[in-house]
Amino acid sequence: MSVKQEKHGDLVIVTIDRPEVRNAVDHDTARGLLEAFRAFDANKQQRAAVLTGADGTFCAGADLKAVAEGRGNRVTLDGDGPLGPTRMLLNKPVIAAVEGHAVAGGLELALWCDLRVAAQDAVFGVYCRRWGVPLVDGGTVRLPRLIGQSHALDMILTGRGVSGDEALAMGLANRLTPPGEALHGAVELAERLTRFPQRCMLSDRRSTITQWGRGLDEALQQETLLGRETIKSGETVAGAARFNAGAGRHGEGV
């Protein structure tokens, strides 16, 4: 199995496990990632997921040996992404735990995640620039949306690696950890998300993600419609009652 799943309380940890090729994704691995995240999205008990790679590397992208042998991943206009889940819009958050390299398609998988917790020495990059391999898993769309056109073109045109404080300042990394601690940091962050009132958090997440491409009026209307559904659910009133009773004051958790 090139993709492993491990339950961790309300979380699932999905690991790309092909360390002999730096966790490069071939056809079977892409299918394994798809199946893992479809199962996660359908599982009502699992509130968040963490995506990582085995043995200190996040993912080196598509398996270029398979590409050279004519066994490259499927690239079509419809259906699933070449690396698996990159065209999916999940209903729950996924956090990338990045050690080593997240490059080429590995960068695109990290960008697909909601948040990225990276080791200080982890490297993000469009290394496929060197080999004439295009970004076809959302890289040219998500990268400029995430870090802005100027930073994105710097990475996409030059293929240079970005790490550490620069990755944090750009917004590529949301949190930095000491080397070897990215998975621990990602799990800790994911657990924090699972403790919030879920309907409200997931509704706000959906509004944030799906507002791209909408006009301002339409986006604001969608936000209001989603917010009204949260309020109608009773979650907001219950939260206000907890606040009124003294919970959550002075930065304390829920």
Side-chain angles (χ1 to χ4, degrees):
M1 292 286 291
S2 58
V3 175
K4 294 183 177 179
Q5 302 176 58
E6 176 188 354
K7 294 180 181 179
H8 188 94
D10 292 335
L11 313 178
V12 62
I13 300 172
V14 178
T15 303
I16 305 171
D17 189 22
R18 301 186 75 212
E20 70 280 4
V21 289
R22 300 177 70 191
N23 299 321
V25 177
D26 60 4
H27 177 75
D28 289 343
T29 306
R31 185 173 58 191
L33 287 170
L34 265 173
E35 292 172 353
F37 283 109
R38 282 178 178 152
F40 160 66
D41 209 35
N43 190 316
K44 295 181 180 180
Q45 281 71 50
Q46 293 172 351
R47 294 186 168 189
V50 173
L51 174 61
T52 193
D55 287 7
T57 296
F58 183 74
C59 175
D63 188 335
L64 294 188
K65 181 179 180 181
V67 172
E69 295 173 352
R71 299 182 291 105
N73 296 9
R74 178 177 173 270
V75 182
T76 62
L77 290 176
D78 57 357
D80 301 313
L83 294 188
T86 51
R87 295 178 185 172
M88 296 176 70
L89 174 57
L90 301 184
N91 294 305
K92 297 175 283 187
V94 180
I95 298 176
V98 183
E99 297 278 354
H101 286 80
V103 296
L107 170 65
E108 293 179 291
L109 283 170
L111 295 174
W112 171 74
C113 297
D114 293 81
L115 300 170
R116 286 148 297 283
V117 176
Q120 184 77 35
D121 58 354
V123 179
F124 300 89
V126 187
Y127 281 15
C128 50
R129 178 59 54 240
R130 309 170 186 180
W131 317 116
V133 178
L135 297 171
V136 288
D137 279 276
T140 65
V141 177
R142 292 191 176 103
L143 190 60
R145 289 184 177 187
L146 188 69
I147 67 174
Q149 182 97 338
S150 179
H151 286 315
L153 283 175
D154 184 9
M155 294 183 67
I156 290 169
L157 295 179
T158 69
R160 73 180 184 91
V162 174
S163 63
D165 291 337
E166 184 180 16
L168 185 66
M170 279 186 177
L172 267 176
N174 299 97
R175 307 281 193 280
L176 292 179
T177 72
E181 294 295 319
L183 180 57
H184 175 76
V187 168
E188 187 177 71
L189 179 56
E191 287 177 335
R192 198 178 313 158
L193 299 187
T194 68
R195 293 195 290 268
F196 289 123
Q198 290 296 293
R199 182 158 189 158
C200 181
M201 185 189 74
L202 297 180
S203 174
D204 286 351
R205 172 185 177 271
R206 177 164 288 274
S207 180
T208 301
I209 293 172
T210 60
Q211 58 85 24
W212 290 100
R214 298 176 186 267
L216 178 60
D217 289 345
E218 183 185 0
L220 290 173
Q221 184 178 57
Q222 176 188 238
E223 179 190 68
T224 302
L225 289 170
L226 290 169
R228 280 164 58 93
E229 290 302 312
T230 297
I231 294 168
K232 288 178 184 178
S233 75
E235 192 174 82
T236 302
V237 172
R242 290 198 307 277
F243 173 83
N244 196 44
R249 304 291 176 87
H250 310 296
E252 295 173 0
V254 296

